[in-house]
Amino acid sequence: MTTILLIGRVHPRVRQRVAERFEIIEIAKPDPSLVTPEIAAKVVGLASFNAMPAAMIDALPNLKIVANFGVGYDGVDARHAAQHGVIVTNTPDVLDEEVADTTIGLLLNTIRLLPQAENWLRAGEWEKTGSFRLSPLSLRGRHVGLYGLGRIGLQIARRLEPFNVRISYHTRSQRPDVNYTHYPSLAALAEAVDTLICIVPKTPETRQTINRDILERLGSNGVLINVGRGWTVSEDDLIDALSRKVIAGAGLDVFEDEPHVPSALMTFDNVSLLPHVASASVITRNAMADLVVDNLISWFEKGQPLTPVPETPFAGRSDG
Ligand code: NDP
């Protein structure tokens, strides 16, 4: 019987569908000290929730595949897995539209203060005090820069088009299939735009790249939206920039040390904060769960992962 390890809090659809095909063993966290000799001997696949350190891969000598729940797999040591011939898969495409929808919502919430306006109504202030204040910012006339124009970034850009805003982007390689202006550096993009949407992965190169310099270039009418990873934004520099009104506002779905959110961020009225919910609808999380399980099934039944990550030994192989 093929044995799959489930670790920690698991999406119920993953558990249910894995149980229909495989034997399941569950442990509380990706901690090698929890790997018993039985687990080490039996486990050949696992479903990960963006936490799979090298030591855990080493502790499972028969492991063949790590199926990650999420398109971001920065918590999985994919290089180490590749060196040991272990396949890593993620869940691209199925969440692009949901994350892009949420990004547009967060952008509008940040610029038009919609959550604050709703709180005003719910608190009875509309009746007691009168109309909610005018939002100092508007999407009208904005120039939006996307830091990252991959699967999700492209869906965000497509959604921005009917809003009649200018759209530019920075990536390391220019895309041949879009007409948006490409800037070869993040600094040049930040200088050109007044709205910066961050949707790059967590990699060594993207660490705290949104810093004091970039925020100063964004300028006093500037709005920062981060839906990628908290790692990409220096939270200290952002808090400082907001305090000194270096930029006009920020909307964040992701944070450096989740679920901890720096208390200073909660003190700003021109900041909109979400608890990492960009893909968090029932329909999209079910689709992600299905892709996790379908990767496991496809690997164990056909020897072919559906969506291997680029580092994985399988990526780019068309001969199976
Ligand atoms: P893709 O791999 O399709 O796109 C990544 C984009 O980032 C590409 O345009 C790439 O272009 C660019 N990029 C990568 N590294 C750099 C760099 N050093 N400098 C400039 N640009 C860079 O990923 P997805 O669009 O599918 O997802 C992006 C990320 O969004 C995920 O990795 C995840 O961390 C995050 N995410 C967050 C969610 C949430 O709930 N908030 C939900 C889903 C994803 P190029 O290679 O040419 O530089």
Side-chain angles (χ1 to χ4, degrees), residues 51-85:
M52 190 44 51
M56 195 65 196
I57 294 166
D58 293 342
L60 297 166
N62 298 318
L63 186 64
K64 299 284 182 293
I65 180 168
V66 173
N68 190 56
F69 187 100
V71 69
Y73 56 97
D74 42 84
V76 178
D77 197 330
R79 274 180 214 292
H80 190 77
Q83 282 159 9
H84 292 77

Side-chain angles (χ1 to χ4, degrees), residues 78-106:
R79 274 180 214 292
H80 190 77
Q83 282 159 9
H84 292 77
V86 175
I87 304 289
V88 176
T89 62
N90 64 344
T91 60
D93 303 320
V94 295
L95 45 62
D96 297 351
E97 296 201 293
E98 199 74 71
V99 177
D101 292 349
T102 311
T103 306
I104 299 298
L106 182 58

Side-chain angles (χ1 to χ4, degrees), residues 76-144:
V76 178
D77 197 330
R79 274 180 214 292
H80 190 77
Q83 282 159 9
H84 292 77
V86 175
I87 304 289
V88 176
T89 62
N90 64 344
T91 60
D93 303 320
V94 295
L95 45 62
D96 297 351
E97 296 201 293
E98 199 74 71
V99 177
D101 292 349
T102 311
T103 306
I104 299 298
L106 182 58
L107 175 66
L108 288 172
N109 280 354
T110 305
I111 286 184
R112 295 295 328 286
L113 306 176
L114 300 178
Q116 293 90 324
E118 181 167 350
N119 288 342
W120 178 266
L121 178 152
R122 285 175 185 267
E125 290 295 334
W126 191 14
E127 227 171 341
K128 258 193 284 171
T129 324
S131 299
F132 184 67
R133 66 196 161 93
L134 305 183
S135 69
L137 305 179
S138 167
L139 195 57
R140 301 300 90 235
R142 284 197 169 261
H143 184 179
V144 181

